[in-house]
Amino acid sequence: MFKKGSIFKFAATSLLLMSVVIAGCTNSANPKGNETAPSSTPAAGTENQPAKGSTITIAYSQGAGQTMDPHEAADLTSASYALALYDQLVTSATEEKDGKTVGRTDKVVPSLAKEWKVSDDGLTYTFTLEEKAKFQSGNPVNADAVVFSLKRLQSKGEGGSLYALSNIDSFTKVDDTTVEIKLSAPNPLLLKYLATFTFSIVDPSVVEGQADDYLTQHSGGSGPFSLEKWDPATEAVFVANKSYWKGAPQADKVIVKYIKEASNRELLLENGDVDVALDIPTKDVEKLRANKDLTISSESTNRIVYLGMNSNIKPFDNLKVREAINYMIPQEQLIHNVAYGQASPMTSSISSKSSAHTSEGNSFKFDPEKAKQLLKEAGYENGLSFDLVVSSATQDYEDIAVLLKSELEKIGVKLEIQKTAPAQYREIINKKEAAAFLGKYTSLVNDPSYHYGFLLATTGASNYAAYSNKDVDALLDSAKSITDEAKRVEIFQEVQKKITADAPWGYLYESNLIAGLRNEVKGYVFYPDEIIRFVTLSK
C-alpha cells in the first residue's frame, strides 16, 4: 500500500490494448494515492517485435469518423482513431478474466508517465515522463509537449468540456521529464480523465504554425499507428508505426470502412471481406453465432438507450406529458422484440453498472390508463402529436420508434418518426432543436460526475434535452471534490431521484455491445468504453 504523497511506481508495459467498453470509480484514482493500480496485460507481442504484416479491416456503422483531432473527438469512431494515433499520460489497465483479456477502464497504469506522486491535500500531481517515449516525428515526448497539449485542450469544444470537469487549475513544466498539475479542488476522477483519448498528447512541432483545424485531417502523435488516408464518407487507413516506443503493433495496417446498412456489414463479415463488423443487430446474433467461421461478442456495458424530451418545446414543456410518455414505454417488449434479450431494463438516469445507481423514486411502469389521466390533467384529453428524431445509422432506433408509435396511438398520441442521416441527426440534437429524440450514451468514465456532467447538468455538452434543475446542478457541483465514496453515492442517489421526478427522459434499456469477428482475428479486447483499440489486433 502507498501512503499519502508516496510515489506511484509501475513498470511501463508494452501494450495499449484494443477495446470496446467503459468503467467506474475505484481507489486507483484516489487523489491521496493510497492504492496501487493493477498492471496492464502485455500485448500479444513483446516490445520492439516487428509488425506481423497483416491487414485488419473493420466495418463501422456510425460513419468513418468526424475528426482525427483527439481534442475534438466526440464519437466512438473518432475516439478509436485518437487511441491509434496518440498516447496519454496514463492508460486503462487490463486483466485476465475467464481465460480472456478484458479492459479495465476503472483502473489506470502508466503510459507516457512512468510514475507520479500526489500531494497530501490531493491538489498537486507530479508526473515523471518515460524517457524513451517519442513522437512519430522522432521528437521526444517531453514536458513542453504535455503543457502544450493541455493548453490546446482547454479551448476545444468536446475536449474542453471534460477539461472543465477535471478541476485543473494550472500545469507547469518542472524540467524536461517532469510536469506538475495543480487542481482547484481534489478530484477523485482525475487519473481516469487523463486516461481518456481526450487528454492525448500531441506533437507541438507538427501543430505549431498550422491552421487551428490542422489535426482534423492529419496526425501528430506518439501512438502505434499513423494516418495514411481518410475519407470521412467512406474509410480511413492506418499504417503501423514500426518504431512505436512500446513495441510495434500486431497488424501492419488497419482499414476502417463505413458500411451504413447492417445487412451489408454482416454479408461482408460472412464472406470474409471484413475481419470485424460492429453494431451487429440484436436480431441477428443467434443466426451469426451458428456460422462456424465467426465469433460473436455480446458484452454487457453501461450504455443507456433513452427517449429524450425537450422541456423547452411543446408539448414537453408540461411535466405531466413527459410523465404520461414514461407510463407508455413497454420495456419488456423493447428488450424482447427490439434487443432480442441482448439488453437489460433501464431504471434510472444512470446505468445499473454504476455503484451509485438507484431506482428509488421510479414508479413508471407500463400503464395506459395512468398515461391517459395525466394527458387529461395536462389539457391534452383529445390527444397530441410530436416528431421523434431518429438516426438512420442504428436499426434498433427505428425498431424502437415503430414500437413506441404503435403503443402511443392507444392513448391518442400521434408520433411522427423523423428518420435522419447521422450528420443531420447530430446537428439537430446538438442545437437542441428536437422536441423528442432517441439517444444512447456510454460514459467513458463510469462515474456519475462524468455521466451527469455531460448529459444532464445544465451546461452539459451532451444535454440534448436541454434539461435544467438548479438543485441538481448544486448537488453535482458539491460532489466534484468529495473523495468519500459513501458521501458521493448519497449525493448521486439524490440526483437520480430528482431527475426521475422531472422526467426529461423516457427510460428504455441498457444495451450490450455486439461485435462480429472472423475466427482468425486475434487480440480483440473488450473495454467498457466501447472504443476499439487497434494495437493488438492481428490475424
Side-chain angles (χ1 to χ4, degrees):
M1 301 287 286
F2 288 90
K3 298 181 182 299
K4 295 180 181 180
S6 61
I7 297 178
F8 286 75
K9 291 187 177 179
F10 305 89
T13 60
S14 61
L15 150 78
L16 187 71
L17 284 178
M18 158 203 154
S19 80
V20 194
V21 162
I22 169 174
C25 161
T26 67
N27 289 333
S28 65
N30 190 323
K32 294 300 183 184
N34 59 0
E35 291 285 341
T36 60
S39 298
S40 60
T41 303
T46 58
E47 190 171 316
N48 298 323
Q49 178 179 337
K52 301 297 184 182
S54 61
T55 296
I56 300 292
T57 304
I58 308 173
Y60 276 67
S61 66
Q62 299 295 325
Q66 299 175 39
T67 182
M68 293 290 164
D69 190 334
H71 298 159
E72 291 282 14
D75 63 290
L76 290 178
T77 309
S78 297
S80 64
Y81 296 168
L83 292 179
L85 299 170
Y86 297 88
D87 291 310
Q88 300 74 39
L89 289 173
V90 294
T91 192
S92 298
T94 60
E95 68 177 6
E96 293 299 316
K97 186 177 182 180
D98 299 326
K100 296 187 298 184
T101 302
V102 296
R104 290 290 305 272
T105 52
D106 59 338
K107 301 285 186 180
V108 299
V109 292
S111 185
L112 293 173
K114 64 181 181 180
E115 62 185 34
W116 57 90
K117 63 180 180 180
V118 185
S119 62
D120 290 345
D121 60 6
L123 295 177
T124 303
Y125 286 67
T126 305
F127 294 90
T128 301
L129 304 180
E130 176 62 64
E131 293 90 343
K132 67 180 179 180
K134 293 186 181 298
F135 289 111
Q136 293 174 12
S137 65
N139 294 326
V141 181
N142 55 24
D144 289 324
V146 175
V147 169
F148 175 87
S149 299
L150 292 175
K151 184 176 180 180
R152 182 178 189 272
L153 175 60
Q154 288 178 286
S155 64
K156 297 301 177 182
E158 288 292 331
S161 296
L162 183 54
Y163 182 94
L165 291 175
S166 68
N167 294 349
I168 295 177
D169 183 59
S170 65
F171 41 86
T172 56
K173 169 186 175 180
V174 177
D175 56 42
D176 283 347
T177 60
T178 310
V179 176
E180 183 179 86
I181 295 178
K182 288 185 176 294
L183 306 184
S184 57
N187 188 340
L189 301 182
L190 179 67
L191 291 174
K192 294 187 181 71
Y193 289 171
L194 295 179
T196 66
F197 64 87
T198 298
F199 280 87
S200 294
I201 305 304
V202 304
D203 186 347
S205 73
V206 172
V207 178
E208 290 175 325
Q210 302 290 348
D212 188 57
D213 62 352
Y214 180 77
L215 287 184
T216 299
Q217 300 185 55
H218 301 84
S219 62
S222 61
F225 289 89
S226 60
L227 178 64
E228 181 176 276
K229 64 177 180 178
W230 177 45
D231 178 353
T234 57
E235 69 173 12
V237 180
F238 301 86
V239 293
N241 172 13
K242 296 183 180 181
S243 298
Y244 183 43
W245 64 278
K246 291 186 182 181
Q250 296 299 297
D252 194 45
K253 181 176 288 190
V254 173
I255 300 173
V256 170
K257 289 187 175 292
Y258 170 40
I259 310 295
K260 176 183 176 181
E261 297 296 333
S263 59
N264 290 339
R265 291 195 302 277
E266 293 177 15
L267 182 62
L268 291 170
L269 180 67
E270 291 183 292
N271 291 343
D273 295 315
V274 301
D275 302 297
V276 182
L278 303 182
D279 282 336
I280 298 295
T282 52
K283 66 182 178 63
D284 297 334
V285 167
E286 295 307 316
K287 178 195 75 172
L288 292 174
R289 278 180 171 161
N291 187 326
K292 61 182 178 57
D293 296 322
L294 304 179
T295 297
I296 306 301
S297 172
S298 180
E299 300 285 349
S300 176
T301 74
N302 68 356
R303 181 199 296 179
I304 58 171
V305 181
Y306 64 96
L307 167 66
M309 295 173 281
N310 192 324
S311 60
N312 292 331
I313 301 176
K314 287 184 177 295
F316 300 114
D317 57 342
N318 191 311
L319 173 60
K320 292 184 182 296
V321 171
R322 302 196 301 273
E323 290 176 329
I325 299 300
N326 268 281
Y327 279 109
M328 289 304 295
I329 293 175
Q331 268 198 350
E332 290 185 10
Q333 287 188 62
L334 288 169
I335 292 172
H336 184 267
N337 297 337
V338 175
Y340 289 80
Q342 307 295 318
S344 57
M346 181 181 173
T347 59
S348 182
S349 51
I350 197 164
S351 166
S352 60
K353 304 298 186 298
S354 169
S355 60
H357 173 272
T358 181
S359 59
E360 187 178 349
N362 180 8
S363 62
F364 298 123
K365 58 183 179 180
F366 189 72
D367 189 341
E369 292 306 313
K370 178 71 171 178
K372 282 192 229 180
Q373 179 61 35
L374 286 165
L375 288 181
K376 181 178 180 180
E377 294 173 10
Y380 292 99
E381 184 175 4
N382 297 322
L384 58 84
S385 63
F386 68 91
D387 291 339
L388 178 66
V389 178
V390 177
S391 171
S392 62
T394 306
Q395 180 62 46
D396 289 358
Y397 279 2
E398 298 180 48
D399 295 340
I400 292 169
V402 169
L403 182 54
L404 291 177
K405 178 181 176 69
S406 174
E407 294 300 325
L408 289 171
E409 285 176 352
K410 298 175 182 178
I411 61 169
V413 174
K414 184 177 180 181
L415 183 160
E416 294 292 341
I417 301 172
Q418 186 179 342
K419 183 178 174 181
T420 63
Q424 183 184 3
Y425 168 83
R426 287 192 296 269
E427 181 179 1
I428 292 172
I429 66 170
N430 282 335
K431 291 182 178 179
K432 302 179 183 180
E433 294 176 346
F437 62 93
L438 291 179
K440 63 180 177 181
Y441 196 85
T442 302
S443 291
L444 293 177
V445 177
N446 188 20
D447 186 271
S449 279
Y450 180 97
H451 183 88
Y452 288 127
F454 275 92
L455 285 173
L456 289 166
T458 297
T459 58
S462 303
N463 182 7
Y464 306 127
Y467 175 70
S468 182
N469 182 315
K470 291 181 179 179
D471 291 338
V472 167
D473 289 340
L475 286 168
L476 294 177
D477 285 340
S478 71
K480 285 181 180 178
S481 59
I482 293 176
T483 57
D484 184 308
E485 187 60 21
K487 290 182 179 178
R488 296 181 80 243
V489 167
E490 183 180 343
I491 289 171
F492 291 129
Q493 290 188 342
E494 183 65 23
V495 166
Q496 289 170 79
K497 287 184 280 187
K498 287 182 179 295
I499 291 173
T500 294
D502 289 338
W505 291 352
Y507 299 153
L508 303 182
Y509 55 80
E510 300 177 18
S511 63
N512 287 8
L513 175 69
I514 305 172
L517 304 93
R518 301 288 301 179
N519 286 340
E520 58 266 28
V521 174
K522 309 300 179 186
Y524 175 84
V525 180
F526 168 77
Y527 282 75
D529 57 14
E530 302 191 18
I531 304 171
I532 293 185
R533 277 75 162 172
F534 301 153
V535 68
T536 53
L537 289 176
S538 67
K539 65 178 181 179

